[in-house]
């Protein structure tokens, strides 16, 4: 089974971050037979000065395997395709 790392960068009280979280978990739940295995990590820009400097104007930011996939809004179809491609 292949695995993919997904990182959601945001901050508390960010409604777009909440929306992104819902989309991410919905897409992962709908992947065929749990493939790929997706490890999800959330990072708070208020707890990390480097992330704050880099992404304060772009949150939420979604990284797939350490690379920026999207920011602000998460498109479910695009995310699903990117996760499947990252696993292949």
């Amino acid at each position: 089974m292949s695995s993919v790392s997904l990182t959601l960068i945001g901050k508390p009280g960010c409604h777009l971050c909440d929306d992104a979280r819902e989309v991410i978990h919905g897409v992962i739940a709908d992947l065929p037979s749990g493939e790929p295995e997706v490890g999800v990590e959330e990072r708070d820009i208020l707890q990390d000065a480097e992330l704050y400097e880099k992404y304060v104007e772009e949150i939420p930011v979604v990284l797939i395997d350490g690379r920026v996939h999207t920011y602000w809004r998460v498109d479910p179809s695009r995310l699903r395709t990117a996760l499947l491609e990252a696993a292949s």
Side-chain angles (χ1 to χ4, degrees), residues 64-76:
I64 296 177
D65 289 338
R67 287 176 291 213
V68 173
H69 166 70
T70 194
Y71 53 91
W72 296 325
R73 302 242 181 232
V74 180
D75 177 87

Side-chain angles (χ1 to χ4, degrees), residues 42-61:
E42 290 198 36
R43 304 282 306 272
D44 179 352
I45 64 167
L46 301 179
Q47 302 298 317
D48 185 317
E50 184 178 334
L51 288 178
Y52 184 89
E53 277 293 312
K54 192 169 185 178
Y55 297 119
V56 68
E57 298 295 327
E58 298 175 333
I59 63 168
V61 178

Side-chain angles (χ1 to χ4, degrees), residues 2 4 31-32 35-36 64 78-88:
S2 56
V4 177
L31 289 173
E35 180 70 25
I64 296 177
R78 188 168 168 262
L79 177 60
R80 182 180 194 280
T81 299
L83 290 173
L84 293 171
E85 286 177 357
S88 60

Side-chain angles (χ1 to χ4, degrees), residues 1-6 24 28 31 34-40 83:
M1 178 182 291
S2 56
S3 65
V4 177
S5 168
L6 184 148
I24 289 165
I28 292 170
L31 289 173
E35 180 70 25
E37 181 179 314
V38 181
V40 178
L83 290 173

